[in-house]
Amino acid sequence: QVQLVESGGGLVQAGGSLRLSCVASGSIFGIDVMGWYRQAPGEQRESVAYITRAGSTNYADSVKGRFTISRDNAQNTVYLQMNSLQPEDSAVYYCNAGVVYPGRRDNYWGQGTQVTVSS
């Protein structure tokens, strides 16, 4: 079993910054893609950013130029640096990881961390 634990959420004023962290632990053979999703009340969960083990990244258009995703493969950790936050960035942010084993791949989610941006 694998656990993903997020931290770093909170309340910040518009224009401010937050840094989210997510640590994967448990029975891990390897992790390919790690990413962040978010879900605002009444909305569907959406992809924010993801990063491959080799370091290739992808961002949602709404966060390009403001958010930066990074990872530490040795520590099974992914980060999301969020700058110039806006009220529309308010949501529960979820970490996601694709954990690979010989012959299979399992998808895991964290419990979520709340980000609230006040205007």
Side-chain angles (χ1 to χ4, degrees):
Q1 189 70 352
V2 174
Q3 297 79 41
L4 302 182
V5 178
E6 301 112 331
S7 60
L11 173 64
V12 64
Q13 289 188 331
S17 299
L18 284 173
R19 188 189 194 214
L20 305 183
S21 300
C22 172
V23 181
S25 63
S27 179
I28 298 173
F29 185 80
I31 302 176
D32 54 12
V33 179
M34 301 187 81
W36 291 94
Y37 289 69
R38 66 186 181 188
Q39 187 168 19
E43 303 290 333
Q44 289 191 337
R45 189 173 297 189
E46 63 174 358
S47 176
V48 176
Y50 65 81
I51 183 168
T52 69
R53 185 171 184 84
S56 296
T57 59
N58 181 274
Y59 296 92
D61 288 342
S62 59
V63 307
K64 281 181 182 176
R66 300 187 298 124
F67 290 11
T68 302
I69 189 170
S70 60
R71 68 187 281 177
D72 182 336
N73 291 330
Q75 300 297 324
N76 292 327
T77 301
V78 63
Y79 305 96
L80 186 68
Q81 177 65 44
M82 305 186 292
N83 299 329
S84 302
L85 283 162
Q86 300 301 316
E88 52 266 35
D89 294 317
S90 297
V92 178
Y93 283 69
Y94 297 91
C95 174
N96 176 269
V99 181
V100 295
Y101 305 90
R104 84 170 198 270
R105 181 185 190 274
D106 295 335
N107 197 41
Y108 289 92
W109 293 91
Q111 81 287 353
T113 185
Q114 178 71 48
V115 171
T116 303
V117 185
S118 62
S119 57

